[in-house]
Amino acid sequence: MRTALIFVAITLFGCGSAEGDDRIRLDVVAASSLTEVFEAIAIEFETSNASIDIAFSFGASSEIAAAIESGASPDLIAVAEPSVLDALMSDDHVVEPVQYFATNRMEIVVPNGNPKDIASLGDLARSDLVVLLCDPAVPCGRYSSQVLANAGVRIAPASFEVNVKGVLGKVALGEADAGIVYVTDVLAAKERVDGVAIPKDKNVVAQYPIAIVERSSDQQEAERFVAFLTSEIGVRILRRHGFGAP
Amino acid sequence: MFIAALGALLFLLPFIGIALRLPWMRLSEIFGDPETRAALWLSIRSSAMAAALSCFFGAPLAYVLARRAFPGRSVIRALMTLAMVLPPVVGGVALLFTFGRNGFVGARLDEWLGIRLPYSSAGVVLAQTFVAMPFVVVAVESALVRQDTRMEEAARTLGASPLTVLRRITIPTIRPALLAGAALAWARALGEFGATITFAGSFPGRTQTLPLLVYSTLDTDPGAALALSFVLLAVAVVVLGLLRDFWFAGMSDRGKG
């Protein structure tokens, strides 16, 4: 359903540059976790590339990949887990090689002030806590179970939320005591939630690849955006939003 | 005629679309899966419960709305319509702020009775009842408004007690509407997604209903998602089909009465 909607959105609004002027429209589909940082980067990019407009569509990594698989043709796709692009690569939907431009880590998210005194992954197994995880169908959920396995912790979550926002929102509202989300999500919502770091040896490194879509008619401009992402300014903005270097 | 056929196609084609892509070979494997069975069973129980609660509370409410003039009646009517058109996610958020553990009702339920609705099967039923009950209220109320009250008056003047009037005249005449409302409420509850995921979350066996499982498997196993969608469609079509016959029987009964 969501895949279909994204597909419709991309085909309806993603028909390349507007006729009449020479501005080029770059359609970028990206993982939800990139929302804030990509919007910040686009502002910088557009000031130095006045002839290019960037239009984003954010969604679950697997959904945006599925939309391209079923015929949508944005110019670029950026996701939160390399394996999401496997099918697109084997069916030649994207130009290879893909470029890794950022990394992310997981963090425990708790309501402001950490009212339940959660200090480690082990605490998440406490029976007095309502703990939320992302659904194992999305990258965030797979990374979370990997982190818990690394720490040898078994927990009984109250719910598997369909995406990061579900976990973050309910923790911020105080409807859950803790959850596991990306470091960058905690940073983006730092007015409403606090983070409890997960030690490096227990944590995972989520690699973010970006790829140019084979059917894109503006490949040169797409390349320029990728180059900008990995440029000094791009890296600085990514850092500021909590992403690591690839 | 041609336009009507096109209209019908819009609803027929997606059925064919699903049937064509359905992994027939894997059906037994998909439905043998404990997670699928748990979701199916939870969906059946919770939606039946929600439909029953909708009738239990909705029918009396409809009666009062139709027959008694009281301040605030139009407000309640408007709320019913609002609940029908409200995006279910918004309904779920509203439930969370009300019955969540920080909500003004939820906090007291927890403190006084130790009842916690979010993340529980009861929470699923509450979310489903919230979106389903207006269907009963609207169906029954409109039947009551259209009903000729002279029969009830005649019965009363002949000495029938209010309870007898209700039992012998009012309820039999609104029965088709009540059944129609119940069937719609049940179907709405069965397909409910937004309010459930927002208020009750998704946990296999406890709050993960069939629509939630469809959403979750869409990414990892689209074949299974299709098969589950087909079950939802099939169950709804069969039950609504059966009830449809029943309503029409009810309608013609009324002609005789």
Side-chain angles (χ1 to χ4, degrees):
Chain A
M1 177 63 189
R2 288 262 298 274
T3 309
L5 279 182
I6 291 171
F7 177 64
V8 169
I10 293 169
T11 38
L12 278 182
F13 304 110
C15 304
S17 46
E19 69 279 9
D21 60 30
D22 50 1
R23 296 179 73 81
I24 287 166
R25 195 182 128 137
L26 216 48
D27 287 295
V28 181
V29 293
S32 321
S33 46
L34 292 167
T35 308
E36 289 82 11
V37 69
F38 264 24
E39 272 161 5
I41 286 174
I43 292 169
E44 290 289 325
F45 179 77
E46 283 170 349
T47 44
S48 50
N49 295 271
S51 62
I52 304 176
D53 284 329
I54 296 191
F56 288 117
S57 170
F58 296 100
S61 293
S62 41
E63 278 173 15
I64 58 183
I68 292 179
E69 192 76 33
S70 37
S73 36
D75 300 297
L76 282 163
I77 174 168
V79 295
E81 196 181 37
S83 66
V84 172
L85 292 184
D86 286 351
L88 291 181
M89 286 196 277
S90 59
D91 292 345
D92 292 325
H93 283 304
V94 292
V95 180
E96 286 183 68
V98 303
Q99 176 91 44
Y100 289 94
F101 65 97
T103 59
N104 209 343
R105 287 171 176 280
M106 307 311 283
E107 193 166 39
I108 301 170
V109 60
V110 294
N112 255 338
N114 196 356
K116 294 281 168 99
D117 287 323
I118 292 154
S120 69
L121 284 169
D123 284 347
L124 297 184
R126 266 159 51 187
S127 60
D128 63 319
L129 298 182
V130 174
V131 180
L132 303 181
L133 295 179
C134 293
D135 195 292
V138 294
C140 157
R142 287 192 286 270
Y143 290 133
S144 300
S145 42
Q146 215 174 309
V147 163
L148 288 166
N150 289 349
V153 177
R154 291 182 68 102
I155 68 167
S159 167
F160 294 104
E161 298 292 309
V162 289
N163 53 35
V164 172
K165 300 251 183 296
V167 177
L168 206 58
K170 285 176 186 175
V171 170
L173 284 175
E175 288 300 332
D177 300 308
I180 300 180
V181 295
Y182 295 109
V183 169
T184 52
D185 293 312
V186 179
L187 196 61
K190 64 173 184 285
E191 263 110 66
R192 300 178 294 136
V193 296
D194 284 346
V196 177
I198 296 171
K200 255 202 170 119
D201 59 323
K202 306 284 182 338
N203 216 326
V204 292
V205 179
Q207 296 276 357
Y208 282 64
I210 187 165
I212 298 170
V213 177
E214 193 71 56
R215 285 187 299 266
S216 162
S217 49
D218 302 310
Q219 303 231 353
Q220 277 184 352
E221 288 75 12
E223 270 170 36
R224 259 159 73 187
F225 183 76
V226 176
F228 189 81
L229 266 185
T230 47
S231 73
E232 206 181 308
I233 311 171
V235 170
R236 202 169 61 224
I237 301 173
L238 283 161
R239 280 274 158 77
R240 202 169 64 218
H241 285 81
F243 288 93
Chain B
M1 188 61 198
F2 177 66
I3 297 172
L6 277 183
L9 273 182
L10 177 64
F11 295 94
L12 186 63
L13 290 179
F15 272 92
I16 299 173
I18 286 188
L20 284 178
R21 294 283 296 273
L22 208 61
W24 297 99
M25 294 298 138
R26 288 180 50 215
L27 284 190
S28 64
E29 170 210 323
I30 291 166
F31 292 109
D33 183 57
E35 201 172 55
T36 309
R37 287 178 173 213
L40 183 62
W41 180 225
L42 176 68
S43 271
I44 291 171
R45 276 183 308 162
S46 60
S47 59
M49 189 82 150
L53 286 173
S54 297
C55 292
F56 184 77
F57 292 107
L61 176 57
Y63 184 84
V64 172
L65 285 175
R67 292 290 159 81
R68 303 265 188 278
F70 59 92
R73 180 164 76 165
S74 55
V75 175
I76 293 181
R77 277 203 181 123
L79 282 177
M80 283 294 135
T81 321
L82 187 69
M84 281 173 100
V85 298
L86 196 71
V89 178
V90 178
V93 171
L95 287 176
L96 205 55
F97 281 120
T98 314
F99 296 100
R101 62 179 183 181
N102 293 324
F104 66 98
V105 180
R108 282 163 187 78
L109 279 179
D110 190 2
E111 194 182 328
W112 295 340
L113 302 168
I115 295 175
R116 289 185 188 175
L117 290 170
Y119 317 116
S120 72
S121 300
V124 175
V125 174
L126 177 66
Q128 290 178 342
T129 308
F130 179 82
V131 296
M133 197 164 91
F135 289 90
V136 173
V137 177
V138 169
V140 173
E141 190 196 343
S142 67
L144 282 168
V145 168
R146 269 184 284 120
Q147 193 186 30
D148 190 349
T149 53
R150 279 178 304 181
M151 249 196 305
E152 289 169 340
E153 278 159 27
R156 263 195 292 276
T157 52
L158 291 170
S161 71
L163 196 66
T164 312
V165 174
L166 187 72
R167 201 163 50 85
R168 300 290 292 274
I169 314 244
T170 314
I171 290 180
T173 47
I174 61 159
R175 201 175 58 197
L178 183 61
L179 285 172
L184 285 174
W186 173 79
R188 181 69 191 77
L190 186 71
E192 168 36 50
F193 177 83
T196 311
I197 188 76
T198 314
F199 180 64
S202 168
F203 190 86
R206 192 166 64 218
T207 58
Q208 189 180 55
T209 56
L210 214 44
L212 268 55
L213 183 61
V214 169
Y215 189 85
S216 162
T217 50
L218 194 57
D219 295 332
T220 46
D221 189 356
L226 270 177
L228 298 174
S229 310
F230 198 71
V231 173
L232 271 175
L233 280 171
V235 173
V237 165
V238 166
V239 173
L240 291 178
L242 286 175
L243 280 170
R244 200 181 166 85
D245 294 342
F246 199 48
W247 304 335
F248 284 132
M251 303 274 184
S252 48
D253 277 353
R254 188 163 62 165
K256 280 177 243 155

